[in-house]
Amino acid sequence: MEVQDNNRVFFPTHVEEVLRESFLEEDTQGRGYVESKNIVNVVRKVLGIFLTHTEKAKVLGKAEYLAVKGLLSVEDFITIMADTLAETTHWGNLKTEVAGYVGIDTLQEQIRKKVLKRGFEFNIMVVGRSGLGKSTLINTLFKANVSLRSCSKSEEKVEIPKTTHVKSVSHVIEEKGVRLRLTVTDTPGFGDQINNDNCWLPVLDYINEQYENYLSEEQSVTRKKHIPDTRIHCCLYFISPTGHSLSPLDIEFMRRLDRCVNIVPVIAKADTLTIEERVGFKQRIKQDLANNGIRTYPMKELEEDPEETVTNNKIRELLPFAVVGSNQQYPNNGRTVYGRKTQWGLVEVENRSHCEFSDLRDMLIRTHMQDLVEVTRSVHYENFRQDRLASRRGRTQFNGQVIDMDSMNESSL
Amino acid sequence: MEVQDNNRVFFPTHVEEVLRESFLEEDTQGRGYVESKNIVNVVRKVLGIFLTHTEKAKVLGKAEYLAVKGLLSVEDFITIMADTLAETTHWGNLKTEVAGYVGIDTLQEQIRKKVLKRGFEFNIMVVGRSGLGKSTLINTLFKANVSLRSCSKSEEKVEIPKTTHVKSVSHVIEEKGVRLRLTVTDTPGFGDQINNDNCWLPVLDYINEQYENYLSEEQSVTRKKHIPDTRIHCCLYFISPTGHSLSPLDIEFMRRLDRCVNIVPVIAKADTLTIEERVGFKQRIKQDLANNGIRTYPMKELEEDPEETVTNNKIRELLPFAVVGSNQQYPNNGRTVYGRKTQWGLVEVENRSHCEFSDLRDMLIRTHMQDLVEVTRSVHYENFRQDRLASRRGRTQFNGQVIDMDSMNESSL
């Protein structure tokens, strides 16, 4: 069964046999064709239920493209399957049986060793007015003094800059042999002026500058084996605990940046809100986000399978996380806990009935850190790259001739 | 400590302090500078012994570049370190301590889940004259009928084509939840003609065509989230068990292709050689490879650390693997083993005292499969890409104007 003649890729005979049988099963009346809208059923029967949303969408797209009056022949079906099989490892019933232990399960360990040797990179940005506890929260998340303010010498006098500044500090932290280069980017001055017009612009510029640097390294002729990743993988946006709703600046910032970066909104200093206030505030924020079409992380449309959707739905239910940060430890029922002590009680940072710090930490670090990195790479960076390349093309086609500006720049290196 | 002003990346105060202290320790006479050739000692003291060869080479290169009369100031040293720290997670004593469990060790599990979901891809090519047991060996390696011949319908009559053909067959095999899309590429007709001039050319063309496809997808404006990898990760080259030395065609093939693909030479049908013959044959082949400057996998110059070198030295010692393949199983001391039964005894394929099949299988599948993929990506593909981009530039600069042929092609899509 020759499938792609130009690539000279064949599939095993048993694969073609199973495909033909499955087609015949669906074609109960023996007409020699099946309806294109039913083709996903056949595919699912053959490949199993573990097809991702993207794979399903591709199959449907190809089926629609090939169908004549909504009908597909067995040869059409085989063409669709060949394209699908060439891009996935979800082969379901088409898998080839092995007669004994081969050892491909060791690939997990081989990969683990490789990534452990290189270590990980994670870049997180904090945005919000001063005084909302951004530095404290980030220090609480990583149980270390990793915020810019804790690391610079001029810790005592904190001056608010006249415009939004963007500054980063890098650390390496290690746990059980896993090394992470963590870069925390702060945005002092954001939202702190009398007139905050365009105060989001330096933030957007910084994010795009990192994409630009990456793109330029990726396109250079002699590029690095591993391109250092300075792209912002997550932007924690701090909402003032006013108890009202989102401010116009909150909405403006998130609307401007949600296509460029993973935004995770948090309600800062949530210990200032009563239980009822928090519930109502959250509800109004959710409404504001929805009304303004703001896309926060994790995004539903990127989910690949139902399992992921179930996990992420729980997270979306909690958003925006109402958090409390603290570097201080206090004794509490025989244990020491991070918290904020007042005359009337102790707010425990990691107590899930007190606030949602633990939920935020679990998502950012323990369950979704790698996903934040991959979404940045495969969605936000790709969007940037696509726009940049398309606009270069547009600009250069202006003279009726296509010249890639890239290669012109590179040649002057 | 501001390091890269344009990128606005800072390092924590404690990092600068450790760097200054270490510099002063090396500058025993308090002259304010140290010799540039000693700088690696300082770096090693600070970052630990786990610097890779590449990282060491980079540090030395930067030190030489900055040194004045072979001497470096503390500011030079900090500049060197800043560049180094921005590209590695090997921070040794410069790491930031965390005060409790954060959870970054979960990154291993996060990555494992991601790669398991996607599955793996491995493309292996077999090259050698007909009758050397290429199909049998590949079937033995994966304990399944994965070779082209076992999968095509015309199994009975095997015709030798008049030139070298290149044909691939894809499978998915699964073991303990790990799915691998395995593509086996065969080269029927290679070395089987009266005149075998240029019979390696279709093989080289096929390999380069896969690189070209990948490059073109990588450079397209709207590229796939995951580019299907059809690049050949390993080329198993079958040497005739003549007992003499390499044939001129063996040498020609490997010399032409060793810069394009990972070549693993094997002595086919090694059961035809006595112990003494095998030892002598191997020795002469090693000599031939060395005399002709042929680089086989694994390549010493790519090794990143001493541990890797130790492992790979053992493999290089064994090369070329003297192998025997078989689909047949025989009872042997209460167990069933793969082997070849003759009147005078049973050759056990997986018995390390009989042949080196197990060593080949361990390397290809259980220890180095991921490395073969990564070397293909980061060395062979990058070489191809560099040559292609450079030659495009050369061609288009011919008219005194730089035009990227890529974007011209793309615009016609």
Side-chain angles (χ1 to χ4, degrees):
Chain A
M1 169 189 161
E2 189 151 352
V3 176
Q4 290 175 286
D5 217 354
N6 51 340
N7 272 337
R8 283 160 284 184
V9 173
F10 295 69
F11 289 97
T13 327
H14 75 84
V15 167
E16 189 174 339
E17 283 162 9
V18 174
L19 290 180
R20 288 188 186 275
E21 278 164 29
S22 312
F23 185 90
L24 290 180
E25 273 172 38
E26 184 73 18
D27 178 22
T28 42
Q29 295 163 46
R31 298 182 296 175
Y33 51 80
V34 303
E35 293 193 34
S36 97
K37 61 179 162 50
N38 292 337
I39 206 72
V40 171
N41 293 336
V42 192
V43 175
R44 196 176 288 154
K45 214 189 296 172
V46 178
L47 300 189
I49 53 159
F50 297 106
L51 273 189
T52 66
H53 296 323
T54 326
E55 286 164 353
K56 265 178 227 163
K58 272 191 191 166
V59 168
L60 269 180
K62 281 172 197 156
E64 271 175 37
Y65 176 77
L66 285 177
V68 177
K69 293 183 182 165
L71 299 175
L72 290 169
S73 70
V74 67
E75 300 308 327
D76 293 335
F77 174 61
I78 286 175
T79 305
I80 293 168
M81 289 306 295
D83 288 358
T84 307
L85 295 178
E87 296 195 8
T88 181
T89 59
H90 293 110
W91 278 31
N93 301 333
L94 304 177
K95 281 196 302 258
T96 301
E97 290 299 317
V98 295
Y101 179 67
V102 177
I104 60 164
D105 58 324
T106 62
L107 276 166
Q108 298 179 80
E109 183 60 18
Q110 292 180 41
I111 291 248
R112 201 183 68 86
K113 274 191 184 167
K114 290 258 176 205
V115 296
L116 264 193
K117 217 175 240 184
R118 180 161 69 227
F120 297 86
E121 295 164 300
F122 187 66
N123 307 318
I124 188 167
M125 176 183 251
V126 290
V127 180
R129 285 201 296 101
S130 68
L132 291 179
K134 299 189 294 293
S135 297
T136 304
L137 188 79
I138 212 82
N139 290 344
T140 316
L141 277 169
F142 292 98
K143 294 195 176 131
N145 285 328
V146 292
S147 74
L148 185 77
R149 195 190 296 175
S150 333
C151 297
S152 56
K153 285 170 186 164
S154 52
E155 203 174 339
E156 306 82 28
K157 52 163 185 155
V158 180
E159 266 177 49
I160 294 173
K162 293 256 155 46
T163 55
T164 309
H165 285 201
V166 182
K167 292 183 170 182
S168 305
V169 57
S170 277
H171 294 263
V172 166
I173 59 179
E174 182 173 334
E175 217 164 20
K176 298 185 187 166
V178 179
R179 295 185 314 282
L180 174 72
R181 190 168 71 244
L182 172 72
T183 302
V184 179
T185 301
D186 202 350
T187 55
F190 176 89
D192 291 333
Q193 318 301 322
I194 294 174
N195 178 344
N196 286 305
D197 280 354
N198 296 333
C199 76
W200 46 269
L201 204 55
V203 180
L204 181 64
D205 284 347
Y206 178 87
I207 290 171
N208 282 335
E209 198 183 313
Q210 310 315 309
Y211 290 146
E212 188 70 53
N213 291 344
Y214 198 93
L215 182 60
S216 131
E217 179 65 28
E218 189 184 76
Q219 292 195 325
S220 79
V221 175
T222 51
R223 57 187 179 182
K224 290 181 179 129
K225 193 171 164 183
H226 171 73
I227 304 176
D229 193 356
T230 62
R231 298 170 294 191
I232 298 295
H233 301 126
C234 178
C235 171
L236 270 190
Y237 186 81
F238 287 70
I239 299 164
S240 254
T242 60
H244 305 149
S245 58
L246 288 181
S247 76
L249 179 57
D250 295 338
I251 293 172
E252 179 79 0
F253 178 86
M254 289 192 265
R255 277 184 55 191
R256 296 279 185 174
L257 274 86
D258 70 346
R259 260 74 183 165
C260 308
V261 67
N262 293 316
I263 296 182
V264 175
V266 296
I267 298 172
K269 297 189 163 174
D271 49 340
T272 59
L273 299 169
T274 65
I275 300 169
E276 294 77 25
E277 281 169 349
R278 196 207 278 184
V279 171
F281 191 33
K282 267 202 174 189
Q283 214 44 57
R284 284 187 291 278
I285 293 173
K286 271 189 210 291
Q287 202 55 55
D288 281 347
L289 292 172
N291 290 346
N292 289 283
I294 292 166
R295 301 193 303 178
T296 57
Y297 178 88
M299 284 166 261
K300 199 153 197 149
E301 62 265 41
L302 300 178
E303 278 146 25
E304 294 269 284
D305 55 57
E307 192 198 336
E308 212 180 336
T309 305
V310 169
T311 315
N312 288 353
N313 277 344
K314 283 182 200 152
I315 291 172
R316 276 188 287 266
E317 188 60 36
L318 285 173
L319 277 178
F321 298 107
V323 294
V324 176
S326 170
N327 294 329
Q328 298 291 316
Q329 290 192 311
Y330 297 95
N332 190 36
N333 296 327
R335 292 176 57 219
T336 313
V337 298
Y338 283 95
R340 292 173 60 78
K341 197 165 176 61
T342 64
Q343 292 292 341
W344 54 91
L346 175 69
V347 190
E348 295 166 45
V349 165
E350 295 178 286
N351 183 332
R352 283 179 208 267
S353 70
H354 287 195
C355 76
E356 292 152 359
F357 171 84
S358 298
D359 299 300
L360 174 68
R361 179 208 55 208
D362 286 355
M363 181 187 84
L364 284 186
I365 303 175
R366 301 184 188 175
T367 60
H368 284 62
M369 186 176 263
Q370 184 59 24
D371 190 64
L372 284 158
V373 172
E374 292 194 12
V375 170
T376 302
R377 177 187 67 73
S378 67
V379 180
H380 300 303
Y381 171 65
E382 283 301 316
N383 285 343
F384 173 87
R385 180 179 173 277
Q386 213 168 308
D387 288 353
R388 281 290 280 122
L389 298 187
S391 79
R392 279 180 199 164
R393 182 125 333 135
R395 200 171 65 228
T396 51
Q397 272 184 331
F398 191 70
N399 301 322
Q401 205 183 3
V402 184
I403 301 176
D404 194 308
M405 286 315 199
D406 255 358
S407 63
M408 296 193 72
N409 292 336
E410 275 181 349
S411 72
S412 62
L413 286 177
Chain B
M1 167 192 163
E2 189 151 354
V3 175
Q4 289 176 287
D5 218 353
N6 51 339
N7 273 336
R8 283 160 284 185
V9 173
F10 295 69
F11 289 97
T13 327
H14 76 84
V15 167
E16 188 174 339
E17 282 163 10
V18 174
L19 291 179
R20 288 190 185 274
E21 278 165 27
S22 313
F23 185 89
L24 290 179
E25 272 172 38
E26 184 73 19
D27 178 22
T28 42
Q29 295 164 45
R31 298 183 297 175
Y33 52 79
V34 303
E35 293 193 34
S36 99
K37 61 180 162 51
N38 292 337
I39 207 73
V40 171
N41 293 336
V42 191
V43 176
R44 197 176 289 154
K45 214 188 296 169
V46 177
L47 299 190
I49 53 160
F50 298 105
L51 272 189
T52 66
H53 296 325
T54 326
E55 286 164 351
K56 266 179 225 162
K58 272 192 190 167
V59 168
L60 269 179
K62 280 171 198 158
E64 270 174 38
Y65 175 78
L66 285 177
V68 177
K69 293 182 183 166
L71 299 175
L72 290 170
S73 70
V74 66
E75 300 308 328
D76 293 335
F77 173 61
I78 286 175
T79 305
I80 293 168
M81 290 306 295
D83 287 358
T84 308
L85 295 178
E87 296 195 7
T88 181
T89 58
H90 292 111
W91 278 32
N93 301 332
L94 303 178
K95 280 196 302 260
T96 301
E97 290 300 318
V98 293
Y101 178 66
V102 178
I104 61 164
D105 58 324
T106 61
L107 276 166
Q108 298 178 80
E109 184 58 19
Q110 291 180 41
I111 290 250
R112 200 183 68 86
K113 274 191 185 167
K114 289 257 176 206
V115 296
L116 264 194
K117 217 174 241 185
R118 181 161 68 226
F120 297 88
E121 294 164 301
F122 188 65
N123 307 318
I124 188 167
M125 175 184 251
V126 290
V127 180
R129 285 201 297 101
S130 69
L132 289 179
K134 299 190 292 296
S135 295
T136 305
L137 188 78
I138 212 83
N139 290 345
T140 317
L141 277 169
F142 292 97
K143 294 196 175 129
N145 285 329
V146 292
S147 75
L148 185 75
R149 195 189 296 175
S150 332
C151 297
S152 57
K153 284 170 187 164
S154 52
E155 204 174 339
E156 306 80 31
K157 53 162 187 160
V158 180
E159 267 178 50
I160 294 174
K162 293 253 155 46
T163 55
T164 308
H165 285 201
V166 183
K167 292 183 172 183
S168 305
V169 58
S170 277
H171 294 264
V172 165
I173 58 178
E174 181 172 336
E175 217 164 19
K176 297 184 188 169
V178 180
R179 296 185 313 282
L180 174 71
R181 190 168 71 243
L182 172 72
T183 302
V184 178
T185 301
D186 201 351
T187 56
F190 176 90
D192 290 333
Q193 318 301 323
I194 295 174
N195 177 345
N196 285 306
D197 280 354
N198 297 333
C199 76
W200 47 270
L201 204 54
V203 181
L204 182 63
D205 284 347
Y206 178 86
I207 291 172
N208 282 336
E209 199 183 313
Q210 309 316 309
Y211 290 146
E212 188 70 54
N213 291 344
Y214 197 92
L215 182 60
S216 131
E217 179 66 27
E218 189 182 75
Q219 291 195 325
S220 79
V221 175
T222 50
R223 56 188 180 182
K224 289 180 179 132
K225 192 170 165 183
H226 172 74
I227 304 175
D229 193 357
T230 62
R231 299 170 294 192
I232 298 294
H233 302 127
C234 177
C235 171
L236 270 190
Y237 187 81
F238 287 71
I239 300 164
S240 254
T242 60
H244 304 147
S245 59
L246 288 180
S247 76
L249 179 57
D250 296 338
I251 293 171
E252 180 78 359
F253 177 86
M254 289 193 267
R255 276 184 54 192
R256 296 279 184 174
L257 274 87
D258 70 346
R259 259 76 182 163
C260 308
V261 67
N262 293 316
I263 296 181
V264 174
V266 296
I267 300 172
K269 297 189 163 175
D271 49 339
T272 59
L273 299 168
T274 66
I275 299 168
E276 294 76 25
E277 281 170 348
R278 194 208 280 185
V279 170
F281 190 33
K282 266 202 175 191
Q283 213 44 57
R284 285 186 291 278
I285 293 173
K286 270 189 211 288
Q287 202 56 56
D288 281 347
L289 292 172
N291 290 346
N292 289 283
I294 292 166
R295 300 192 303 178
T296 57
Y297 177 87
M299 285 165 260
K300 199 155 197 146
E301 62 266 40
L302 300 178
E303 278 146 24
E304 293 268 285
D305 54 57
E307 191 198 336
E308 209 180 338
T309 306
V310 170
T311 314
N312 288 353
N313 277 343
K314 282 180 201 154
I315 291 171
R316 276 188 286 268
E317 188 59 37
L318 285 172
L319 279 178
F321 298 106
V323 294
V324 176
S326 171
N327 294 329
Q328 298 290 316
Q329 291 191 311
Y330 296 95
N332 189 38
N333 294 328
R335 292 176 57 218
T336 313
V337 299
Y338 284 95
R340 291 174 61 78
K341 196 163 178 62
T342 64
Q343 293 291 341
W344 53 92
L346 176 69
V347 190
E348 296 166 45
V349 165
E350 295 179 284
N351 183 332
R352 284 178 207 269
S353 70
H354 288 195
C355 76
E356 291 152 357
F357 170 84
S358 298
D359 299 301
L360 174 68
R361 180 208 54 207
D362 286 356
M363 182 186 84
L364 284 186
I365 302 176
R366 300 184 189 176
T367 60
H368 284 62
M369 185 174 265
Q370 184 59 24
D371 190 63
L372 283 158
V373 172
E374 292 194 11
V375 169
T376 302
R377 177 186 68 75
S378 67
V379 180
H380 300 303
Y381 171 65
E382 283 301 315
N383 286 344
F384 172 86
R385 181 178 172 277
Q386 212 168 310
D387 288 353
R388 282 290 279 123
L389 298 188
S391 79
R392 277 180 199 164
R393 181 126 333 136
R395 199 172 66 229
T396 51
Q397 272 185 331
F398 191 68
N399 301 322
Q401 203 182 6
V402 184
I403 302 176
D404 194 306
M405 287 315 197
D406 256 355
S407 62
M408 296 193 71
N409 293 337
E410 274 180 350
S411 72
S412 63
L413 286 178

